[in-house]
Structure formats: C-alpha cells, structure tokens
C-alpha cells in the first residue's frame, strides 16, 4: 500500500486520518511519518482498511435501506 492507496481507502470509508488512528489505536502523527518521512506503511494497514471497506460495503448493501424504496408512500 502506498500513500495514495491509503488516502483513497480513507476517502472510501469517509474517514479522516484522525478517525483511522483512533480505530487502529495509533498515535495521530503516525500516518504523517508515512507521508512525509518515507516510513513504509505496515502491511497490516492494507488488510485493516480492506476489511473496514468490506464491512462498509456489506453494511451499505444489506443494512442501509435503498434511497428509492418501493414501499408505498403515505400522506401525512
């Protein structure tokens, strides 16, 4: 995973870097070292974000009701 992939995964989740750090239990400056100091992104980050994206995909597919529902509309 490179920094562009990292940023894309965060965008896909609707997360800020601080959200990722909170979820992963990292110090908030850790991703800036990946971005600015050439420190390699650990392999587990790709797996972690991949699983989070899959959970979001499943949630969106099976839990969130579709916006154009076929349910009859009632007048209030």
């Amino acid at each position: 995973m490179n920094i562009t992939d990292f940023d894309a995964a965060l965008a896909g989740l609707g997360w800020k870097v601080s959200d990722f750090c909170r979820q992963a239990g990292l110090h908030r400056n850790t991703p800036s070292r990946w971005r600015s100091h050439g420190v390699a992104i650990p392999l587990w980050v790709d797996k972690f974000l991949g699983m989070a994206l899959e959970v979001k995909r499943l949630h969106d597919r099976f839990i969130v009701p579709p916006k154009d529902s076929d349910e009859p509309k009632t007048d209030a």
Side-chain angles (χ1 to χ4, degrees):
M1 170 172 267
N2 59 40
I3 201 68
T4 302
D5 297 334
F6 176 75
D7 290 339
L10 293 185
L13 291 165
W15 287 0
K16 295 180 253 175
V17 172
S18 60
D19 299 322
F20 167 74
C21 291
R22 190 171 29 262
Q23 294 298 323
L26 296 175
H27 188 274
R28 68 177 187 259
N29 293 335
T30 300
S32 69
R33 284 186 255 148
W34 303 337
R35 186 178 311 280
S36 305
H37 302 289
V39 174
I41 298 174
L43 296 175
W44 66 265
V45 172
D46 186 36
K47 302 290 185 196
F48 181 90
L49 290 173
M51 286 189 290
L53 285 164
E54 182 63 10
V55 167
K56 181 181 184 319
R57 184 189 70 77
L58 292 169
H59 178 268
D60 291 348
R61 181 171 179 193
F62 295 110
I63 305 298
V64 177
K67 292 182 180 173
D68 297 322
S69 177
D70 291 332
E71 295 177 355
K73 295 181 181 180
T74 59
D75 294 329

